[in-house]
Amino acid sequence: MAARGLDASGGFQVTVVTEEDHLPYDRVALSKALTDDPGNVDLTLGSPSLWDTAGVALRTGTRAVGLDTASRTVLVEGRGAAEELPYDELVLATGSNAARLPIPGAEHTHVYRTLEDVWFLRAEIGRLGQALGRPPRVAVIGGGLLGIEAAAGAQSLGAEPLIIDGSPWPMNRQLDEGAGQALTRLIAAKGFTLHGGVFPSEVHTDDAGAVTGVLMADGRLVPADLVVVAIGVRPRDELIRAAVEAAAAESGGSGAAATFEVGPRGGVVIDETCATGAPNVWAIGEVASFGGMCLGLVAPANTMAEIVADRLHGGEATFPGFDTATKLKLSGVDVASFGDAFASEPGALEIVYADPARGVYQKIVTTDDARTLLGGIFVGDASPYLSLRPLLGRELPAEPGAFLTASSAGADGGGAPEVELPDDAILCSCNNVAAGTLRDAVNACGVCEGADPVQDVAGLKACTRAGTQCGSCVPMIKKLLEAELTKSGVSVSKALCEHIPLSRQELFDHIRVAQLTSFEDIMSRYGTGAGCDICKPTIASILASQHSAYVLDAGRGTLQDTNDRALANMQKDGTYSVVPRIPGGEITPEKLGVIAAVAQKYNLYTKITGGQRIDMFGARLEQLPDIWAELIAAGMESGQAYGKSLRTVKSCVGSTWCRYGQQDSVGMAIQLELRYRGLRSPHKLKLGVSGCARECAEARGKDVGVIATADGWNLYVGGNGGATPAHAQLLAKDLDDDTLIRYIDRYFMYYIRTADRLQRTARWQEELDGGLEHVRQVVVEDSLGIAEELEAAMATHVEHYEDEWAATLKDPERLRRFRSFVNAPHAADDSIVHVPERDQIRPATAAERVSLGATIPVRTGAAAAAAGTAQEA
């Protein structure tokens, strides 16, 4: 509930009152809170900094218990004494409660509505599993969207899922019988047991009050250990009903003073402006009754919120009605429904393709002339949904049958036809973002701050909020972006560069299949010209990841970036940094002593990095072999901080020392780092291993994050820091050591094969069709049948790994690269000047160089020709 007023300066003063103790969060994503560790889930809506904004106040743990529209006050009770909050404008967003069952034993059931609800269910499923010594049977009463997602969440926690539904088939409000039958087959194949067509009549318990089963109306007893009720929601309209009763009492029962109206199914009635019958009181979301309906869907709630905000600013926006489109979020089960799915409009036509054996059902509903789209249902293959839903109520661009992609008639088997969405078509229904808004952002029409054109999906999401809630529209956003860039003359070719017409993924596959090992052979087959600073290092990386050969041999040194050519990171003053590998951050005192001795001997600046290593700065090019000779003699090796490859595997101390540790995180981190060291990839790779859910290693900020549980390891993928940080997402849970490593092998090799040049895992994962779900199907379920091939490729890398600096020191020819001057191989570069700071050195500034009398040598004629750097001499 929110109250709005004007402060003394004339600005807005907004107060938000919530009875929960959390910041407002996304209930659409509650399943994440059930399946993920609580410490790793952040469902907060918007930025937490919003609540630090002047003029905005959030009161958590506070409940509204009374409303007086005459005095314009709301009575609230919280942690302190009850108080009245005055308002100028009041927005009711009290939502709904989970519906309960009026049957004996209902007090032993649980619901799936709040964070506390799902946290309890998570803990209880774990407790029951330990107490029973077997997977607990979790019965979910209700076969709708929420019920199926609750059952899937219980299954992911190791439970045996049962669904009890009074309707003959699941999701009966969204699906017709044919679609329901297809969905039944799909969820049965996922291990769900469905009891449909009969209502529950009683929940049975033993003498201790523990649930033992659910008695059905036909006399069957369905065994169960835990019962979850997900049969719908009831509007939280008690505040309104009390206000209506109070007003009626004041008017002597005549009802003359009652300004609110309660809907036929509960909730407060609103008009098309989202205003209630009471002056200056608005209602949005599940508590709002419009057209006799209250719906628990996020898209209309967001739309109502935008309408009220517009009205409070003097606008004229109106509510168009409920968008009832739904899409099931369940791994391996593709279901979507929208519009007039049941063909209730007079004269409506149904174009249907059904294959019950495959669990596939597709239906498009049109007007009687088969031209205007009225709705649709897709089960088993919902790929047409994304392009069709924005066209609801519009003329189809092709014959309806062309969109039935599962049939042989569907676009000649090649997928749904390409669709050009009108500007006013809503592409993101969650946040009510039209296609035209996205086009304006791409074409720099002032939608985004600064009015600069947006040329990537991440920018469009940040600018317009499209795709930031359920995420189902992201593939369409990507298609629209590419189409607009093409129109504006911006090439969206997937060519690697002007010399290679193939994408990086295509080039990788061509090189692998043809078993090519040289740049010249690759260019002669697939490219033109001599190459450039894009294709050269890309090809060098592909060759390194496929063959594990020394990166600077056989002419490959000329392909590499500056840092790779020197096997060290160049700094601003022309010196280099030295970073030994410290697997898992574990290092002996003896090795620490060697690092200290080397740093002192060569006068290097030292710093502990964020990846639990020690970086030494200020080494000249000709000093690098001598430095590495001492480090390698002490048992250390290159940390490869210079390469697009594995950088670090960060870890906490885990169960070895920590009293909270669940597993040996250091041991696992070392095992992973030694396995993936030297692995060349499209971009740098970072891993983290945490020994418990407290997450001290910040594993979810890494490309691959591993978090220990009492039952094994949870695997997270696609986390990145940098300018656009991303949290890693849960891929699989409670894995043993061997399964964990197999999945990481597959994930890394699939990324290396398919990502674009310089694309981090977060962006790669986000832009894949299907996103994380696609990754899960490939890595966990082996949907492409390439799991063994990916594992074999990783095994080849592990077998042929050789430390690059150790290999360099063995070969005098390789050492020739590490000379500052060709004609004076042992001479120091006298243009390098360091000054002391905080008991160490740093590069001198330009002013300091002048004050010290340092100059940069100027060479002319033959001297200049003889004094070139020796990168590839």
Side-chain angles (χ1 to χ4, degrees), residues 426-489:
I426 301 300
L427 193 147
C428 173
S429 60
C430 290
N431 292 306
N432 198 35
V433 182
T437 301
L438 292 165
R439 291 193 177 100
D440 288 345
V442 176
N443 297 312
C445 295
V447 173
C448 306
E449 185 177 354
D452 292 326
V454 180
Q455 298 192 349
D456 57 36
V457 172
L460 281 177
K461 291 169 73 173
C463 167
T464 66
R465 295 192 301 127
T468 59
Q469 201 135 13
C470 78
S472 63
C473 60
V474 171
M476 281 297 292
I477 294 173
K478 185 178 180 181
K479 287 183 179 179
L480 183 145
L481 170 66
E482 292 177 350
E484 289 305 302
L485 291 176
T486 300
K487 289 179 187 176
S488 61

Side-chain angles (χ1 to χ4, degrees), residues 147-179:
I148 295 175
E149 289 178 13
Q155 185 185 50
S156 72
L157 294 174
E160 179 185 332
L162 318 168
I163 298 178
I164 296 172
D165 194 36
S167 302
W169 60 85
M171 291 183 63
N172 69 302
R173 293 187 179 181
Q174 293 87 20
L175 307 181
D176 60 17
E177 184 173 359

Side-chain angles (χ1 to χ4, degrees), residues 27-380:
R27 293 190 195 276
V28 175
L30 264 181
S31 57
K32 292 181 181 178
L34 178 63
T35 57
D36 291 11
D37 291 323
N40 297 332
V41 178
D42 183 7
L43 304 184
T44 304
L45 287 169
S47 171
S49 62
L50 168 66
W51 310 110
D52 296 326
T53 305
V56 177
L58 174 66
R59 302 184 60 157
T60 60
T62 303
R63 182 178 182 182
V65 295
L67 170 61
D68 188 338
T69 58
S71 64
R72 292 193 184 181
T73 57
V74 178
L75 180 65
V76 298
E77 293 179 348
R79 298 177 179 86
E83 63 177 308
E84 289 186 340
L85 297 181
Y87 68 84
D88 297 314
E89 304 284 347
L90 179 67
V91 181
L92 298 170
T94 50
S96 61
N97 282 324
R100 299 277 184 168
L101 280 172
I103 60 175
E107 67 273 17
H108 299 288
T109 65
H110 308 278
V111 295
Y112 189 86
R113 184 63 183 158
T114 67
L115 277 173
E116 279 72 19
D117 291 336
V118 297
W119 286 342
F120 169 81
L121 291 174
R122 176 184 174 83
E124 186 66 4
I125 290 172
R127 185 192 69 80
L128 285 170
Q130 291 183 347
L132 298 171
R134 58 168 174 78
R137 293 179 291 250
V138 176
V140 178
I141 299 177
L145 277 169
L146 190 61
I148 295 175
E149 289 178 13
Q155 185 185 50
S156 72
L157 294 174
E160 179 185 332
L162 318 168
I163 298 178
I164 296 172
D165 194 36
S167 302
W169 60 85
M171 291 183 63
N172 69 302
R173 293 187 179 181
Q174 293 87 20
L175 307 181
D176 60 17
E177 184 173 359
Q181 291 174 351
L183 177 57
T184 299
R185 291 184 67 90
L186 288 176
I187 63 176
K190 300 289 288 184
F192 291 52
T193 300
L194 179 64
H195 300 275
V198 181
F199 287 93
S201 61
E202 185 177 351
V203 176
H204 278 203
T205 59
D206 60 18
D207 293 339
V211 170
T212 58
V214 178
L215 181 65
M216 308 295 285
D218 61 1
R220 286 181 295 143
L221 181 64
V222 176
D225 306 302
L226 181 68
V227 179
V228 179
V229 177
I231 58 174
V233 295
R234 299 289 182 267
R236 295 218 30 200
D237 56 11
E238 60 267 27
L239 204 62
I240 302 304
R241 292 181 183 274
V244 170
E245 291 174 2
E250 290 179 5
S251 63
S254 66
T259 53
F260 291 114
E261 180 183 351
V262 177
R265 297 182 180 178
V268 58
V269 174
I270 60 170
D271 62 18
E272 63 180 7
T273 71
C274 296
T276 69
N280 307 100
V281 180
W282 316 77
I284 61 175
E286 295 151 327
V287 74
S289 175
F290 184 80
M293 293 190 299
C294 294
L295 292 184
L297 298 174
V298 67
N302 288 346
T303 300
M304 290 177 182
E306 292 177 353
I307 289 166
V308 172
D310 179 73
R311 288 280 170 171
L312 292 177
H313 283 83
E316 298 181 355
T318 57
F319 183 57
F322 292 107
D323 178 358
T324 59
T326 53
K327 199 170 190 304
L328 179 63
K329 300 184 289 295
L330 176 58
S331 172
V333 181
D334 210 6
V335 178
S337 171
F338 69 103
D340 183 16
F342 293 92
S344 59
E345 291 286 329
L349 294 180
E350 297 177 282
I351 300 93
V352 178
Y353 171 80
D355 187 345
R358 291 169 54 203
V360 174
Y361 181 91
Q362 294 184 323
K363 179 173 81 171
I364 293 175
V365 181
T366 69
T367 52
D368 57 2
D369 57 3
R371 300 178 68 178
T372 302
L373 180 65
L374 298 180
I377 296 175
F378 298 94
V379 176

Side-chain angles (χ1 to χ4, degrees), residues 93 159 248 524 603 855 866:
S524 67
N603 193 27
T855 59

Side-chain angles (χ1 to χ4, degrees), residues 3-5 7 11-16 50-58:
R4 191 271 288 178
D7 59 23
F12 286 99
Q13 176 65 45
V14 179
T15 301
V16 178
L50 168 66
W51 310 110
D52 296 326
T53 305
V56 177
L58 174 66

